Amino acid sequence: MNSIYPGHKYQLSNLDGDGVQTLQFVQRAPLHEPQQGVTNQEVIRAIIDRVKFLDGEVPWEGNALIIYHLRMAIALHEARAVFRHIEKHDFAIEFCALDDDGHLRLQAAKETA
């Protein structure tokens, strides 16, 4: 891994062969010159999908723990985003829809296993 633009752009070495790939994360003003790219959460979602795929080929009980922790990493990224919105006074969490258990309504777009 080579950091081209710290925190935003990385050159990743291919495992087989001598090629490289570029990973570009989103950059937003006012701290950075705006640049399209992916979020940490999107990369983690891809890794979760890959671990599930690999587990289908060669199952390993440790994969469930990997997926659990990757999901927690997404949850923590999203919690950070919610906190920042509340601090900026542009999000009123008290108006979010609640589920039957009294907590925020969460709806998975796909499978939850």
mmCIF file of all heavy atoms in Angstrom, residues 3-10 23-27 32 38 40:
data_model
loop_
_atom_site.group_PDB
_atom_site.id
_atom_site.type_symbol
_atom_site.label_atom_id
_atom_site.label_comp_id
_atom_site.label_asym_id
_atom_site.label_seq_id
_atom_site.Cartn_x
_atom_site.Cartn_y
_atom_site.Cartn_z
ATOM 1 N N SER A 3 0.490 5.444 0.055
ATOM 2 C CA SER A 3 -0.387 6.581 0.232
ATOM 3 C C SER A 3 0.010 7.679 -0.753
ATOM 4 O O SER A 3 1.064 8.281 -0.637
ATOM 5 C CB SER A 3 -0.285 7.102 1.671
ATOM 6 O OG SER A 3 -1.087 8.236 1.843
ATOM 7 N N ILE A 4 -0.849 7.931 -1.734
ATOM 8 C CA ILE A 4 -0.586 8.961 -2.740
ATOM 9 C C ILE A 4 -1.011 10.328 -2.214
ATOM 10 O O ILE A 4 -0.294 11.306 -2.351
ATOM 11 C CB ILE A 4 -1.332 8.634 -4.050
ATOM 12 C CG1 ILE A 4 -0.811 7.311 -4.622
ATOM 13 C CG2 ILE A 4 -1.176 9.760 -5.066
ATOM 14 C CD1 ILE A 4 -1.621 6.782 -5.782
ATOM 15 N N TYR A 5 -2.207 10.389 -1.629
ATOM 16 C CA TYR A 5 -2.725 11.603 -1.005
ATOM 17 C C TYR A 5 -3.313 11.155 0.328
ATOM 18 O O TYR A 5 -4.415 10.594 0.358
ATOM 19 C CB TYR A 5 -3.775 12.271 -1.900
ATOM 20 C CG TYR A 5 -4.327 13.567 -1.362
ATOM 21 C CD1 TYR A 5 -3.511 14.683 -1.174
ATOM 22 C CD2 TYR A 5 -5.670 13.689 -1.052
ATOM 23 C CE1 TYR A 5 -4.016 15.869 -0.688
ATOM 24 C CE2 TYR A 5 -6.186 14.873 -0.564
ATOM 25 C CZ TYR A 5 -5.358 15.954 -0.372
ATOM 26 O OH TYR A 5 -5.866 17.138 0.113
ATOM 27 N N PRO A 6 -2.569 11.293 1.416
ATOM 28 C CA PRO A 6 -2.950 10.709 2.702
ATOM 29 C C PRO A 6 -4.418 10.938 3.074
ATOM 30 O O PRO A 6 -4.928 12.049 2.982
ATOM 31 C CB PRO A 6 -2.020 11.406 3.698
ATOM 32 C CG PRO A 6 -0.803 11.729 2.886
ATOM 33 C CD PRO A 6 -1.345 12.100 1.525
ATOM 34 N N GLY A 7 -5.047 9.836 3.425
ATOM 35 C CA GLY A 7 -6.441 9.879 3.827
ATOM 36 C C GLY A 7 -7.430 9.819 2.683
ATOM 37 O O GLY A 7 -8.628 9.672 2.906
ATOM 38 N N HIS A 8 -6.940 9.922 1.444
ATOM 39 C CA HIS A 8 -7.867 9.995 0.323
ATOM 40 C C HIS A 8 -7.526 9.118 -0.877
ATOM 41 O O HIS A 8 -8.426 8.578 -1.505
ATOM 42 C CB HIS A 8 -7.996 11.442 -0.154
ATOM 43 C CG HIS A 8 -8.677 12.306 0.846
ATOM 44 N ND1 HIS A 8 -7.988 13.069 1.750
ATOM 45 C CD2 HIS A 8 -9.982 12.492 1.109
ATOM 46 C CE1 HIS A 8 -8.852 13.707 2.523
ATOM 47 N NE2 HIS A 8 -10.071 13.379 2.151
ATOM 48 N N LYS A 9 -6.265 8.990 -1.215
ATOM 49 C CA LYS A 9 -5.915 8.242 -2.424
ATOM 50 C C LYS A 9 -4.761 7.293 -2.131
ATOM 51 O O LYS A 9 -3.721 7.708 -1.607
ATOM 52 C CB LYS A 9 -5.536 9.208 -3.551
ATOM 53 C CG LYS A 9 -5.421 8.568 -4.905
ATOM 54 C CD LYS A 9 -5.277 9.641 -5.977
ATOM 55 C CE LYS A 9 -5.379 9.048 -7.360
ATOM 56 N NZ LYS A 9 -5.319 10.101 -8.388
ATOM 57 N N TYR A 10 -4.978 6.024 -2.508
ATOM 58 C CA TYR A 10 -3.998 4.983 -2.210
ATOM 59 C C TYR A 10 -3.733 4.137 -3.442
ATOM 60 O O TYR A 10 -4.632 3.892 -4.251
ATOM 61 C CB TYR A 10 -4.509 4.073 -1.083
ATOM 62 C CG TYR A 10 -4.725 4.826 0.202
ATOM 63 C CD1 TYR A 10 -5.940 5.438 0.485
ATOM 64 C CD2 TYR A 10 -3.693 4.958 1.123
ATOM 65 C CE1 TYR A 10 -6.131 6.153 1.658
ATOM 66 C CE2 TYR A 10 -3.870 5.669 2.292
ATOM 67 C CZ TYR A 10 -5.093 6.264 2.554
ATOM 68 O OH TYR A 10 -5.263 6.972 3.709
ATOM 69 N N LEU A 23 -7.235 3.329 -5.119
ATOM 70 C CA LEU A 23 -8.426 3.450 -4.292
ATOM 71 C C LEU A 23 -8.574 4.932 -3.954
ATOM 72 O O LEU A 23 -7.715 5.511 -3.283
ATOM 73 C CB LEU A 23 -8.288 2.617 -3.019
ATOM 74 C CG LEU A 23 -9.428 2.695 -2.006
ATOM 75 C CD1 LEU A 23 -10.760 2.260 -2.620
ATOM 76 C CD2 LEU A 23 -9.095 1.836 -0.790
ATOM 77 N N GLN A 24 -9.662 5.544 -4.445
ATOM 78 C CA GLN A 24 -9.909 6.969 -4.231
ATOM 79 C C GLN A 24 -11.105 7.135 -3.301
ATOM 80 O O GLN A 24 -12.208 6.707 -3.604
ATOM 81 C CB GLN A 24 -10.205 7.665 -5.563
ATOM 82 C CG GLN A 24 -10.614 9.128 -5.432
ATOM 83 C CD GLN A 24 -9.487 10.028 -4.968
ATOM 84 O OE1 GLN A 24 -8.420 10.059 -5.559
ATOM 85 N NE2 GLN A 24 -9.721 10.770 -3.895
ATOM 86 N N PHE A 25 -10.864 7.765 -2.148
ATOM 87 C CA PHE A 25 -11.935 8.087 -1.224
ATOM 88 C C PHE A 25 -12.478 9.473 -1.550
ATOM 89 O O PHE A 25 -11.766 10.316 -2.098
ATOM 90 C CB PHE A 25 -11.438 8.046 0.226
ATOM 91 C CG PHE A 25 -11.163 6.658 0.719
ATOM 92 C CD1 PHE A 25 -9.885 6.142 0.687
ATOM 93 C CD2 PHE A 25 -12.193 5.861 1.208
ATOM 94 C CE1 PHE A 25 -9.626 4.852 1.132
ATOM 95 C CE2 PHE A 25 -11.949 4.579 1.650
ATOM 96 C CZ PHE A 25 -10.665 4.067 1.620
ATOM 97 N N VAL A 26 -13.717 9.706 -1.207
ATOM 98 C CA VAL A 26 -14.349 10.995 -1.454
ATOM 99 C C VAL A 26 -13.621 12.093 -0.675
ATOM 100 O O VAL A 26 -13.120 11.862 0.428
ATOM 101 C CB VAL A 26 -15.857 10.944 -1.079
ATOM 102 C CG1 VAL A 26 -16.062 10.759 0.409
ATOM 103 C CG2 VAL A 26 -16.587 12.174 -1.573
ATOM 104 N N GLN A 27 -13.532 13.244 -1.289
ATOM 105 C CA GLN A 27 -12.976 14.426 -0.639
ATOM 106 C C GLN A 27 -14.054 15.501 -0.692
ATOM 107 O O GLN A 27 -14.712 15.665 -1.715
ATOM 108 C CB GLN A 27 -11.738 14.930 -1.383
ATOM 109 C CG GLN A 27 -10.573 14.002 -1.346
ATOM 110 C CD GLN A 27 -9.424 14.475 -2.216
ATOM 111 O OE1 GLN A 27 -8.672 13.672 -2.695
ATOM 112 N NE2 GLN A 27 -9.264 15.759 -2.435
ATOM 113 N N HIS A 32 -10.955 20.002 1.895
ATOM 114 C CA HIS A 32 -10.203 19.459 0.763
ATOM 115 C C HIS A 32 -10.839 19.911 -0.540
ATOM 116 O O HIS A 32 -12.012 20.264 -0.590
ATOM 117 C CB HIS A 32 -10.202 17.917 0.821
ATOM 118 C CG HIS A 32 -9.647 17.379 2.092
ATOM 119 N ND1 HIS A 32 -8.306 17.259 2.316
ATOM 120 C CD2 HIS A 32 -10.251 16.959 3.230
ATOM 121 C CE1 HIS A 32 -8.098 16.766 3.526
ATOM 122 N NE2 HIS A 32 -9.277 16.581 4.103
ATOM 123 N N VAL A 38 -15.101 6.848 -3.049
ATOM 124 C CA VAL A 38 -15.905 5.976 -2.200
ATOM 125 C C VAL A 38 -15.751 6.374 -0.734
ATOM 126 O O VAL A 38 -14.843 7.125 -0.376
ATOM 127 C CB VAL A 38 -15.512 4.492 -2.375
ATOM 128 C CG1 VAL A 38 -15.742 4.037 -3.806
ATOM 129 C CG2 VAL A 38 -14.066 4.254 -1.972
ATOM 130 N N ASN A 40 -15.490 4.944 3.399
ATOM 131 C CA ASN A 40 -14.991 3.780 4.139
ATOM 132 C C ASN A 40 -16.069 2.703 4.198
ATOM 133 O O ASN A 40 -15.790 1.515 4.024
ATOM 134 C CB ASN A 40 -14.618 4.169 5.572
ATOM 135 C CG ASN A 40 -13.438 5.091 5.644
ATOM 136 O OD1 ASN A 40 -12.754 5.347 4.662
ATOM 137 N ND2 ASN A 40 -13.190 5.621 6.828
#
